[in-house]
Amino acid sequence: MLDLGFHQAASLHSLTPQAELRLLAVASQGNTANGLETLWQICASLQRLGYPVVVLDGTAQESDDSPGLLHLLQHATWNDGASLNLGATASSLAVIPAAKGLQHLSRKAGDAARSPLESLLPYFRTYGLMVIHAPASTLGPLLTHTATVPLVVMGSGAAGVMTSYKSLKQIALHTGLPCMVAALLHSNTAAERRKAQSQLMTLQACAERHLGGPIRTTTIATQNPQDLQRLALQLLENAGTMNGALAALTPSNLTGMPAHFVRSH
């Protein structure tokens, strides 16, 4: 079903936009060159489906010249009726610097019985989707009381597999959430697809052996709009709901891991 385009009959498949603010989480991978560009393409696809998107970018630092999430949390004076200055990033897609603000919420998460993300709802309730893009070490604590499926974009080669495994481990340590891992194909040749599939199988084997459960994987040709739309719809299907009480994820294979969860990797 996810391979089909969005059309007039999509409402019959329960794909119509909802009024509630929903949460997507994307782990930033540092040196994954095309990961950020893919994120913007996914967000553009979601907006074309009728979901207003706001991105809290945990890789961009807030400052007085470029206020962001931290200023919202501190109730800075510009928040009293003033608009958020997005500078050069201002566009139809709202992208808000959020590195310091997300780190602040992440530090507080361990003492909270509810998701710290609930405190963001009053600021962003006019949007349909909130995308949190941040390092896995920051995302993990933030997602402890949510039911979303985070996305990890895998870089190429052995380094990409190791970096992705590290992200999976950091999220699993805090939440036990299963993740989706997407391998990006730049030329979409048969050889490149086989290589990507081999890397994903290696990553899956490591996750099953050391993290206690399977992961979801997919390959995405970055030059193929249908692939990007398919990923966008998969993420939408796996999004958590942002409301007064974020639903906790039903315990899965990744929870209750003490018996064989290896923490030394």
Side-chain angles (χ1 to χ4, degrees):
M1 182 182 74
L2 293 176
D3 293 316
L4 299 178
F6 195 75
H7 49 79
Q8 290 181 336
S11 61
L12 299 178
H13 298 281
S14 300
L15 292 175
T16 51
Q18 305 296 313
E20 296 174 300
L21 178 61
R22 303 173 75 181
L23 171 69
L24 299 178
V26 180
S28 63
Q29 294 286 75
N31 60 355
T32 303
N34 289 11
L36 196 56
E37 177 60 28
T38 300
L39 173 62
W40 304 143
Q41 292 174 306
I42 291 170
C43 290
S45 293
L46 291 168
Q47 293 211 140
R48 286 192 294 270
L49 296 177
Y51 293 87
V53 178
V54 59
V55 179
L56 302 185
D57 188 359
T59 66
Q61 296 279 343
E62 302 93 319
S63 68
D64 291 338
D65 293 330
S66 182
L69 181 61
L70 185 64
H71 296 76
L72 279 174
L73 298 175
Q74 294 177 337
H75 302 286
T77 54
W78 62 262
N79 190 37
D80 298 329
S83 60
L84 184 63
N85 176 22
L86 298 177
T89 65
S91 66
S92 58
L93 175 64
V95 182
I96 299 176
K100 297 177 182 177
L102 290 177
Q103 289 170 5
H104 173 73
L105 290 175
S106 185
R107 287 192 296 268
K108 293 174 55 180
D111 301 325
R114 298 165 67 90
S115 170
L117 297 176
E118 288 185 25
S119 63
L120 302 181
L121 185 59
Y123 301 111
F124 303 110
R125 64 172 67 251
T126 58
Y127 292 92
L129 281 167
M130 175 189 291
V131 178
I132 299 182
H133 175 243
S137 57
T138 300
L139 278 181
L142 292 176
L143 299 178
T144 50
H145 296 279
T146 67
T148 192
V149 177
L151 172 67
V152 174
V153 178
M154 187 178 73
S156 60
V161 174
M162 291 300 297
T163 301
S164 297
Y165 175 78
K166 181 178 179 181
S167 293
L168 295 174
K169 178 186 174 183
Q170 288 173 322
I171 293 172
L173 277 171
H174 290 281
T175 69
L177 290 172
C179 293
M180 173 180 287
V181 181
L184 303 183
L185 306 177
H186 306 301
S187 60
N188 198 21
T189 62
E192 185 184 20
R193 187 172 291 275
R194 284 195 300 270
K195 182 178 180 181
Q197 291 287 3
S198 176
Q199 292 170 347
L200 288 173
M201 289 177 63
T202 299
L203 186 61
Q204 277 186 311
C206 290
E208 291 178 5
R209 184 180 305 114
H210 301 300
L211 302 183
I215 58 173
R216 309 177 191 183
T217 63
T218 186
T219 54
I220 300 296
T222 57
Q223 304 303 315
N224 187 334
Q226 290 183 337
D227 271 15
L228 291 169
Q229 185 184 56
R230 173 169 56 84
L231 179 58
L233 289 174
Q234 286 174 329
L235 293 175
L236 186 60
E237 185 180 63
N238 296 329
T241 301
M242 290 281 293
N243 53 31
L246 283 168
L249 186 68
T250 302
S252 68
N253 290 343
L254 289 179
T255 58
M257 294 183 290
H260 60 286
F261 183 57
V262 178
R263 297 172 181 267
S264 61
H265 289 267

